[in-house]
Amino acid sequence: MHPVNPPARLLMGPGPITADPRVLRALSTPLVGQYDPWMTSAMNDTQELYRGVFGTANEATVLVDGTSRAGIEAVLVSLLAPGDRVLVPVFGRFGHLLAEIAGRAGAEVHTIETAWGQVFTPTAIEDAIVRVRPKVLAIVQGDTSTTMNQPLDELGAICERHGVLFYTDATATVGGNPLEVDAWGIDAVSAGLQKCLGGPSGSAPVTVSPRATAVLDERRSVEAGIREPGDDVADEPIRSNYLDLAMILDYWGPRRLNHHTEAASMLYAANECARILLDEGVEQAIARHELAGRAMLQGVQALGLGVFGDVAHKMHNVVAVEIPSDVVGDQVRASMLDDHGIEIGTSFGPLHGKVWRIGTMGYNARKDTVVTTLAALEHALRRAGHAVPHGGGVDAALDLYRDSTVSGAPVGVPA
Amino acid sequence: MHPVNPPARLLMGPGPITADPRVLRALSTPLVGQYDPWMTSAMNDTQELYRGVFGTANEATVLVDGTSRAGIEAVLVSLLAPGDRVLVPVFGRFGHLLAEIAGRAGAEVHTIETAWGQVFTPTAIEDAIVRVRPKVLAIVQGDTSTTMNQPLDELGAICERHGVLFYTDATATVGGNPLEVDAWGIDAVSAGLQKCLGGPSGSAPVTVSPRATAVLDERRSVEAGIREPGDDVADEPIRSNYLDLAMILDYWGPRRLNHHTEAASMLYAANECARILLDEGVEQAIARHELAGRAMLQGVQALGLGVFGDVAHKMHNVVAVEIPSDVVGDQVRASMLDDHGIEIGTSFGPLHGKVWRIGTMGYNARKDTVVTTLAALEHALRRAGHAVPHGGGVDAALDLYRDSTVSGAPVGVPA
């Protein structure tokens, strides 16, 4: 058996995407012990970097050692005691996931749904809050299954008015779309590295407001084996040990109470993702994603392809392209992968077989990746027998980049 | 803010230890998509490698995307429904952890305890099984808090006799001490990379027998959002989504049902850890750990230091060294770290302040690391005011290596 040696791939799906080489290099940094003064200092630095990423002053800003889904479950199982009511507005697959995870945590789950390709109005959410009276509002910001970006900026005030904790999963959006945790009054956010942050899956940055931390404080239960006299012991502890945010915060906080053994390599990656983003500047990174997303959108439209959903509310970093009726979607995807080395995404549930999802995010929110993908798509469609305008997609994208003042590449990457 | 740049450290504590440079390089391998044919093939290869590591034919051999603790919780929350009885023999901190995790999963937890530094007889465990009649026996193989290695080879037959599922956590032992999953009749094993496998924390190899898989099959509940007609839906699903082993097996299995986004970088690391181990040969790797552990044991004894616990039952890869009464343990540890760049471990609970834990495992189960650590310890002790024989530890270790036919370094590393 030889060491892993993957084929060269340009990952232009809904994530994971091609990681920034700087993040890959950070992954191979040598290990140090988890209580080494350098390591605890690196953990503190990483917390501070993610405060910048999230736009928050929350002390409780940490990494959960798992994929984005681990971050979601850590927030929900830690905030929701069995029987607590949670409201989940569902506008795609990941809304269903939040509901599922909350249900497994024993919460009383209430959902409202809107059609795939749409988002909710603040009024619709407030009406449901008034009716359900939940402890927590749980909603994804961006749902890659539909490409929609739910506006969150008015929800914090609504939640505050009704005494509701406001949680969002920003895995698909953070770093490529506006997210202002403190300004928008969000109490808890979970994320991942594998989308606009340009890293690998496997680390989930999480931030929690003082108001939500107070809920965690009430549920804290220090585990047997390291408990000291006077430590909290709950009659009904949080249902998970690994994803107990109160204990994770004690591990990252000044007490440094032993919990898991920090996944140092993923910490290094998370640190580098945030460092690169803040070096570029969050606003500039968002502008770069907006430009790449618009170029891809106009490019596929110039190829004569339709686009799914309420485009005014789509995320910058992913577009759902309608599969022409005269081609088989998976054959074109296979041609993109096998002949061009480019991955684009398939779809879930009601959109399965109907749209491709093409991502422009993180390290791959660049002019050359957009253009390369559009050129390949043009050729793959034509070889599949679907007529497309010669060069239309590439020209539309290049014209847009030519007329823009925004950089076509991440900071430190030649544009 | 600069990229992470840790100080040079030789990690000779109870883990994590210095990772093999080949594993660090594997971490920086470029990403591919999670359903790329190459990726699913790499996942299959990794499963096969871990069957070799564990000594099993179990089809259900996968990685859980989290630290070792995530693997423990995945097994316990998935096998134990609320109210199920579990027996946990506790001989150190990690026994308490298994009990804690099982309790949070809603199980009825029964423990038996033995003094720190001792292991259980098979008879003591069988007596408790007869009394408790548990669904699951959950026991750690090696508990780094005490350095003890619980003999497991007779427990499988006992469990089979009484219709009990036999689960062990082998994080501290696998790759450095005998572990024969099928031959010993073990139904579920969890592990981690950061000990004898020479990798970073953050991926938990798990294997599950057909008998235990049948229990998971009964509890399977495919999540809303990707569920198809005819799919299993449980009234009381496994309490965790992220750590639901039935769903994790569906993701790794032929259906490839979407669950988390595989942490590809950690998969690459896990793959490389196993590849290196099997290239060396499990028996040879265990012999190398046995030799390094004996050299460290005889070395500290030749420095006149006492060793804690029932040494006949200690793991090969870690020794608990009694701190002489005329030195302050943390001062000597600090001197080892600051002056020599070597990390040795402190201790938990009843052993806190009484012993140092010195590890010789994975990439660091080598002649040069043992000798370097003994030389540094000799100097650090002398500078702290404790009289030690000149060169005694180093000589004892080198004499042992000189007279041994076992390699003093991992395969592919100059001895």
Side-chain angles (χ1 to χ4, degrees):
Chain A
M1 188 84 78
H2 296 285
V4 290
N5 188 28
R9 295 286 194 234
L10 178 63
L11 303 181
M12 300 297 284
I17 53 87
T18 314
D20 192 308
R22 293 169 287 188
V23 178
L24 294 182
R25 283 201 301 272
L27 277 161
S28 64
T29 304
L31 303 181
V32 297
Q34 61 176 330
Y35 289 110
D36 193 293
W38 182 86
M39 182 67 177
T40 50
S41 161
M43 291 172 74
N44 291 343
D45 289 347
T46 305
Q47 294 185 278
E48 187 59 20
L49 286 168
Y50 277 91
R51 291 185 192 108
V53 169
F54 284 128
T56 184
N58 289 339
E59 179 66 27
T61 304
V62 299
L63 304 178
V64 173
D65 283 3
T67 72
S68 327
R69 184 177 288 239
I72 294 171
E73 186 161 324
V75 170
L76 290 174
V77 76
S78 300
L79 287 181
L80 293 166
D84 281 344
R85 277 191 304 280
V86 58
L87 173 66
V88 185
V90 174
F91 59 99
R93 186 215 159 168
F94 291 96
H96 287 295
L97 179 64
L98 299 194
E100 161 105 14
I101 290 174
R104 289 189 184 216
E108 181 185 313
V109 181
H110 297 257
T111 59
I112 54 174
E113 294 197 36
T114 189
W116 282 40
Q118 306 298 317
V119 297
F120 291 95
T121 62
T123 308
I125 291 173
E126 182 161 23
D127 289 350
I129 284 176
V130 167
R131 194 175 70 248
V132 172
R133 295 256 154 230
K135 177 182 184 183
V136 174
L137 169 70
I139 187 166
V140 298
Q141 183 180 20
D143 198 313
T144 49
S145 67
T146 71
T147 77
M148 291 299 107
N149 184 345
Q150 170 64 46
L152 301 180
D153 53 325
E154 296 180 40
L155 301 187
I158 292 172
C159 285
E160 186 166 15
R161 198 147 62 228
H162 298 286
V164 172
L165 291 170
F166 176 18
Y167 158 62
T168 194
D169 178 67
T171 299
T173 47
V174 65
N177 306 266
L179 172 67
E180 293 291 339
V181 172
D182 286 359
W184 295 354
I186 309 177
D187 290 301
V189 182
S190 57
L193 308 183
Q194 73 273 21
K195 312 273 187 185
C196 304
L197 296 178
S201 173
S203 178
V206 166
T207 188
V208 182
S209 73
R211 200 159 67 115
T213 305
V215 173
L216 300 178
D217 285 342
E218 282 168 23
R219 302 195 69 204
R220 172 179 290 106
S221 195
V222 175
E223 78 186 37
I226 61 164
R227 196 180 291 152
E228 309 243 339
D231 275 346
D232 296 313
V233 185
D235 288 339
E236 288 201 59
I238 290 169
R239 276 192 174 185
S240 172
N241 172 298
Y242 188 65
L243 300 172
D244 178 329
L245 265 185
M247 293 206 296
I248 293 170
L249 293 177
D250 280 343
Y251 174 67
W252 284 78
R255 283 192 74 186
R256 299 271 172 212
L257 271 186
N258 194 260
H259 183 248
H260 59 285
T261 297
E262 185 58 16
S265 306
M266 290 305 306
L267 174 93
Y268 297 157
N271 183 295
E272 184 67 357
C273 287
R275 195 191 68 79
I276 292 171
L277 177 70
L278 297 184
D279 190 19
E280 178 170 18
V282 174
E283 281 187 27
Q284 166 60 25
I286 293 169
R288 174 169 56 83
H289 280 84
E290 192 280 329
L291 177 59
R294 193 145 46 91
M296 185 62 81
L297 173 69
Q298 295 186 8
V300 297
Q301 287 173 332
L303 288 174
L305 301 171
V307 169
F308 171 79
D310 173 9
V311 172
H313 284 107
K314 83 168 194 63
M315 287 183 270
H316 294 151
N317 46 304
V318 61
V319 61
V321 180
E322 290 170 359
I323 300 170
S325 58
D326 58 351
V327 303
V328 177
D330 282 350
Q331 283 177 7
V332 175
R333 280 181 62 239
S335 164
M336 291 287 286
L337 192 71
D338 296 338
D339 300 333
H340 299 267
I342 299 174
E343 180 181 89
I344 62 172
T346 181
S347 297
F348 293 109
L351 292 179
H352 186 67
K354 297 188 179 154
V355 301
W356 298 302
R357 292 177 300 154
I358 303 182
T360 44
M361 56 185 104
Y363 183 66
N364 280 354
R366 300 199 313 268
K367 182 174 73 173
D368 61 300
T369 54
V370 170
V371 168
T372 302
T373 304
L374 286 167
L377 185 59
E378 177 186 332
H379 290 281
L381 282 167
R382 198 173 292 124
R383 285 181 71 90
H386 180 75
V388 280
H390 281 274
V394 168
D395 284 342
L398 282 177
D399 288 349
L400 188 66
Y401 271 102
R402 185 195 56 212
D403 298 339
S404 172
T405 57
V406 172
S407 170
V411 66
V413 178
Chain B
M1 188 85 76
H2 296 285
V4 291
N5 188 26
R9 296 285 194 233
L10 179 63
L11 302 182
M12 301 295 286
I17 53 86
T18 314
D20 192 308
R22 292 169 287 187
V23 177
L24 295 180
R25 284 201 301 273
L27 278 161
S28 65
T29 305
L31 303 182
V32 297
Q34 61 175 330
Y35 289 110
D36 193 293
W38 182 87
M39 183 66 177
T40 50
S41 161
M43 291 171 74
N44 292 343
D45 289 347
T46 305
Q47 294 185 277
E48 187 58 21
L49 286 168
Y50 277 91
R51 291 186 192 108
V53 170
F54 284 129
T56 184
N58 288 340
E59 179 65 28
T61 304
V62 299
L63 304 178
V64 172
D65 282 2
T67 71
S68 326
R69 183 178 288 238
I72 295 171
E73 186 161 324
V75 170
L76 290 175
V77 77
S78 300
L79 287 181
L80 293 166
D84 281 345
R85 278 192 302 281
V86 58
L87 172 67
V88 185
V90 174
F91 58 100
R93 184 212 159 172
F94 290 96
H96 287 296
L97 179 64
L98 298 194
E100 160 104 15
I101 290 174
R104 290 190 184 217
E108 182 186 313
V109 181
H110 297 258
T111 58
I112 54 174
E113 294 199 36
T114 189
W116 282 41
Q118 305 298 317
V119 296
F120 291 93
T121 61
T123 309
I125 291 173
E126 183 163 22
D127 289 350
I129 284 176
V130 168
R131 196 176 68 248
V132 172
R133 294 256 155 229
K135 177 181 184 183
V136 174
L137 169 70
I139 187 166
V140 298
Q141 183 179 20
D143 198 313
T144 50
S145 68
T146 71
T147 77
M148 291 299 106
N149 184 346
Q150 170 66 44
L152 301 180
D153 54 323
E154 294 181 41
L155 301 187
I158 292 172
C159 285
E160 186 167 17
R161 198 147 62 228
H162 298 285
V164 173
L165 290 169
F166 175 17
Y167 158 61
T168 193
D169 178 67
T171 298
T173 47
V174 66
N177 306 267
L179 171 67
E180 293 292 338
V181 171
D182 286 359
W184 294 354
I186 309 177
D187 290 301
V189 182
S190 58
L193 307 184
Q194 73 273 21
K195 312 274 187 182
C196 303
L197 296 177
S201 173
S203 178
V206 165
T207 190
V208 182
S209 73
R211 200 159 68 116
T213 304
V215 173
L216 300 177
D217 284 343
E218 283 169 24
R219 303 195 68 203
R220 173 180 289 105
S221 195
V222 175
E223 77 184 38
I226 61 164
R227 195 180 290 153
E228 310 243 341
D231 274 347
D232 296 312
V233 185
D235 290 338
E236 288 201 58
I238 289 169
R239 275 192 174 185
S240 172
N241 173 296
Y242 187 66
L243 300 172
D244 179 328
L245 264 186
M247 293 207 297
I248 293 170
L249 293 178
D250 280 344
Y251 174 67
W252 284 78
R255 284 192 73 186
R256 298 273 172 209
L257 271 186
N258 194 260
H259 183 249
H260 59 284
T261 297
E262 185 57 18
S265 307
M266 290 305 306
L267 174 93
Y268 296 157
N271 183 294
E272 184 67 357
C273 287
R275 196 191 67 81
I276 292 171
L277 177 69
L278 297 184
D279 190 19
E280 178 170 18
V282 174
E283 280 188 29
Q284 165 61 25
I286 293 169
R288 175 170 56 83
H289 280 85
E290 193 278 331
L291 176 60
R294 193 145 44 92
M296 185 62 81
L297 174 69
Q298 295 185 8
V300 296
Q301 287 173 331
L303 287 174
L305 301 171
V307 169
F308 171 79
D310 172 9
V311 172
H313 285 107
K314 86 168 191 63
M315 287 182 272
H316 293 151
N317 47 304
V318 59
V319 61
V321 180
E322 290 171 358
I323 300 170
S325 58
D326 57 351
V327 303
V328 176
D330 282 350
Q331 284 177 5
V332 174
R333 280 181 62 240
S335 163
M336 291 287 286
L337 193 71
D338 297 337
D339 301 332
H340 299 267
I342 299 174
E343 180 181 87
I344 62 172
T346 179
S347 298
F348 293 109
L351 291 180
H352 186 68
K354 296 188 180 156
V355 302
W356 298 301
R357 291 178 301 154
I358 303 182
T360 44
M361 56 185 104
Y363 182 65
N364 279 355
R366 299 199 313 269
K367 182 174 73 174
D368 61 300
T369 54
V370 170
V371 168
T372 303
T373 303
L374 286 168
L377 185 60
E378 176 185 333
H379 289 282
L381 282 167
R382 198 173 291 125
R383 285 182 70 90
H386 180 76
V388 280
H390 282 273
V394 168
D395 284 341
L398 283 177
D399 289 348
L400 188 66
Y401 271 100
R402 185 195 55 211
D403 298 339
S404 171
T405 57
V406 172
S407 171
V411 66
V413 177

